[in-house]
Amino acid sequence: MTVRWGVSPIGWVNDDLPSLGAGTPLATILDDAAAIGFAGIERGGVFPAEPAALAQVLQGAGLALAGAWHGSGLLAHGLAGERAAIEVQAALLDACGCGVFVLAETSGAVHGRRDVALRARPRLAPGEWPAFGAMLTALGDRLAERGQRLAYHYHLGTVVEDADDLARLIDATGESVGLVIDTGHARLGGIDPVAVIRDHPARVAHVHAKDVRPGVAAATIGQGASFLDGVLAGMFTVPGDGAIDFAPVCAALRAIGYAGWIVIEAEQDPALAPPAAYARAGLAHLKALWG
């Protein structure tokens, strides 16, 4: 069984708060990722949006595309209203040989707003889940026909944040809807990633590995601060630098034969947490556990 080790550029330049890392050249991000030894990198906002240009840039750096965030507005616009944007993203992934479509529903989401408390995030009423799940399943089926796997990303500040949300999502969707196992968002959202991996192995489509500092989270988002306030204060870090024990996570992934991407990720201020050094340390920590 072989996993592929990737990295998110969010430690270099933060798409939710572009002032973090503003002005960092794309070449620096790519050179750092390649020098550390990552096989791939996820797409960030400073990357080309045109498929051929993105493929060329990645090829020049010797990196594969490990994924690309897509914030959907299914609840606001319906599947038909989102079709064009989804097709653009799918075409970009195709051009770069990436088979995983990372998606989070961002209708009403607050994670990108520093003026809104995280606790004000949107929620779905029980009766709204079936229709939402049906749209996601239809999308997952459509993507599967073109060789891509839908990987739903539960995320703080969105309609799928906590364990109850995730359970409802799984119940409302078919097997074509996979999951991003994000350890950091799981820990702060009250989700047990090991249990999700164990109980829903067929759903595990992608992994984001990041650590958390619970004391910082408690002092910020736990007291009514925004998601971005928590990020700025340092509630996230790379594996091995926080409170999460990644040994059970790695063991659970090995037990199901996981062979996709494991992406090192941490939303941090690069002026306080040098991104290359942190990414290198996170990768080393996980590789030592993986064996």
Side-chain angles (χ1 to χ4, degrees):
M1 176 185 62
T2 303
V3 298
R4 304 181 76 187
W5 300 100
V7 68
S8 169
I10 202 167
W12 283 263
V13 180
N14 191 305
D15 290 345
D16 292 327
L17 191 61
S19 61
L20 293 182
T24 302
L26 175 58
T28 296
I29 301 172
L30 297 174
D31 289 347
D32 284 349
I36 292 167
F38 288 106
I41 189 167
E42 293 199 338
R43 181 184 177 273
V46 299
F47 286 61
E50 198 280 320
L54 178 60
Q56 183 177 20
V57 164
L58 293 173
Q59 183 178 15
L63 295 166
L65 182 64
W69 166 277
H70 180 78
S72 68
L74 293 169
L75 293 171
H77 308 126
L79 187 55
E82 286 293 295
R83 185 169 289 119
I86 288 167
E87 176 57 34
V88 168
Q89 184 78 337
L92 181 144
L93 297 174
D94 278 342
C96 297
C98 180
V100 61
F101 192 114
V102 175
L103 177 146
E105 176 59 30
T106 53
S107 297
V110 303
H111 65 283
R113 298 187 57 182
R114 198 175 176 192
D115 62 328
V116 178
L118 180 61
R119 61 180 56 158
R121 59 101 173 184
R123 299 173 187 270
L124 288 185
E128 295 177 293
W129 285 98
F132 180 45
M135 286 191 288
L136 286 171
T137 301
L139 175 57
D141 291 346
R142 192 171 303 162
L143 289 171
E145 291 174 358
R146 65 186 298 163
Q148 294 180 2
R149 183 74 193 281
L150 178 60
Y152 192 93
H153 192 328
Y154 51 82
H155 196 287
L156 298 180
T158 72
V159 293
V160 186
E161 176 183 280
D162 61 26
D164 182 62
D165 299 331
L166 183 56
R168 289 181 181 274
L169 177 81
I170 291 171
D171 287 344
T173 56
E175 290 289 315
S176 66
V177 180
L179 299 172
V180 177
I181 302 299
D182 187 300
T183 56
H185 284 277
R187 175 64 180 264
L188 297 184
I191 295 169
D192 180 351
V194 174
V196 175
I197 296 166
R198 182 192 64 229
D199 296 342
H200 305 283
R203 299 280 190 145
V204 180
H206 198 56
V207 177
H208 281 174
K210 63 173 168 275
D211 216 332
V212 300
R213 299 184 179 103
V216 176
T220 53
I221 59 174
Q223 297 298 316
S226 70
F227 174 79
L228 291 177
D229 285 331
V231 169
L232 286 166
M235 68 180 181
F236 290 127
T237 185
V238 295
D241 191 47
I244 296 176
D245 182 358
F246 280 87
V249 177
C250 289
L253 290 170
R254 286 197 303 268
I256 67 167
Y258 180 72
W261 286 102
I262 298 180
V263 177
I264 307 299
E265 181 184 48
E267 296 99 314
Q268 299 191 92
D269 183 345
L272 302 176
Y278 273 76
R280 187 185 300 276
L283 178 62
H285 181 73
L286 284 191
K287 278 190 167 182
L289 291 174
W290 195 265

